[in-house]
């Protein structure tokens, strides 16, 4: 996976490659799907949600430019896989998941594997997670109509945010830094994610 799907496609950050080489993705897929865990695709994890394609996890982690001292907020924890990868790159990771069953499952997996710096929290991530903020890095793993205001407020000045923003069918993944009360978008690439729900997400989004 690391050689064929990541390195071969422009994921070059050695820390990201090492992190993805060390986190056992088969522990995060749905039961029975372990033999497909390293395939080049997103996979269903129940409740209409997916574990993202390895390449997309690698790309977003690389774009986030996580430093070892960073506190990272992840909105849309899903299986917990990306949170575990981020945990290898950062000091602390707060992974917020809105579906209670997924949050519980991700928390169990993360604790079973002993990733002590990754914290799974069940709530609406569009509100951020103020108790552990502000964050040096914020990543949204679901498609947002716009970057939720509370997340901008919980990002440190100069902090970096990576998020798929757009409509329900197709989005651009923006890479931005906080400059005062504004986000300065550096660049963006096309992507497709499941919808972000919650107060600042798509109201009534079914998550398909
Ligand atoms: N990073 C995940 C994949 C995320 S899929 C992984 O590695 O497996 C997107 C996830 O965002 C889904 O699990 C969905 O339930 C969750 N989600 C959607 N809206 C949310 C919100 N407002 N707050 C927190 N999580 C949300």
């Amino acid at each position: 996976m690391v050689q064929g799907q990541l390195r071969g496609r422009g994921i070059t950050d050695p820390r990201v490659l090492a992190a993805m080489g060390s986190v056992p993705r088969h522990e995060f897929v749905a039961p029975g799907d372990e033999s497909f865990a390293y395939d080049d695709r997103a996979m269903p994890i129940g409740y209409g949600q997916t574990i993202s394609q390895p390449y997309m996890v690698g790309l977003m982690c690389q774009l986030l430019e996580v430093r070892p001292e960073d506190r990272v907020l992840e909105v849309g924890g899903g299986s917990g896989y990306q949170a575990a990868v981020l945990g290898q790159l950062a000091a602390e990771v707060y992974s917020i998941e809105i579906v209670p069953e997924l949050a519980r499952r991700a928390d169990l997996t993360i604790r079973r594997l002993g990733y002590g710096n990754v914290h799974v929290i069940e709530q609406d991530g569009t509100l951020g997670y103020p108790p552990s903020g502000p964050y040096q890095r914020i990543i949204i793993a679901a498609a947002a109509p716009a970057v939720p205001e509370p997340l901008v407020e919980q990002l440190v000045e100069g902090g970096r945010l990576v998020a798929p923003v757009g409509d329900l069918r197709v989005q651009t993944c923006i890479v931005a830094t906080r400059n005062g009360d504004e986000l300065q978008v550096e660049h963006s690439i096309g992507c497709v994610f499941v919808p972000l729900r919650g107060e600042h997400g798509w109201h009534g989004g079914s998550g398909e």
Side-chain angles (χ1 to χ4, degrees):
M1 178 187 87
V2 167
Q3 186 59 33
Q5 300 173 36
L6 305 179
R7 205 175 270 137
R9 286 197 199 138
I11 311 297
T12 52
D13 183 330
R15 297 184 66 234
V16 171
L17 292 170
M20 290 189 66
S22 80
V23 175
R25 188 171 160 91
H26 60 270
E27 301 278 2
F28 293 87
V29 298
D33 279 353
E34 290 84 355
S35 56
F36 310 114
Y38 298 89
D39 286 5
D40 183 19
R41 57 183 168 108
M43 291 170 64
I45 52 171
Y47 309 95
Q49 305 304 327
T50 55
I51 176 171
S52 304
Q53 178 193 22
Y55 170 69
M56 198 38 79
V57 173
L59 182 62
M60 291 183 74
C61 288
Q62 176 165 290
L63 292 170
L64 199 59
E65 293 179 7
V66 183
R67 303 160 304 179
E69 66 272 23
D70 287 341
R71 260 192 326 277
V72 178
L73 178 71
E74 182 200 38
V75 176
S79 68
Y81 174 69
Q82 179 166 266
V85 171
L86 289 166
Q88 301 290 293
L89 302 169
E92 301 290 334
V93 176
Y94 297 86
S95 175
I96 319 294
E97 171 54 51
I98 202 168
V99 177
E101 293 81 358
L102 290 178
R104 244 192 317 272
R105 201 194 292 161
D107 183 50
L108 282 174
T109 309
I110 295 275
R111 282 194 285 142
R112 179 162 48 81
L113 296 174
Y115 296 123
N117 66 338
V118 180
H119 315 279
V120 179
I121 295 122
E122 177 209 319
Q123 66 161 56
D124 174 6
T126 68
L127 304 174
Y129 186 61
S132 303
Y135 302 92
Q136 285 79 30
R137 299 289 184 263
I138 297 181
I139 185 164
I140 309 183
V147 176
E149 200 51 47
L151 300 185
V152 181
E153 287 162 12
Q154 290 168 44
L155 187 62
V156 300
E157 177 67 24
R160 204 168 167 83
L161 174 141
V162 173
V165 176
D167 62 33
L168 288 169
R169 302 250 160 267
V170 61
Q171 306 92 36
T172 50
C173 181
I174 64 157
V175 182
T177 52
R178 180 173 178 176
N179 181 3
D181 290 336
E182 306 274 297
L183 277 182
Q184 211 158 357
V185 178
E186 288 178 14
H187 58 270
S188 53
I189 50 155
C191 59
V192 180
F193 276 82
V194 297
L196 181 70
R197 294 151 56 189
E199 191 164 328
H200 301 273
W202 296 98
H203 293 282
S206 66
E208 283 166 18

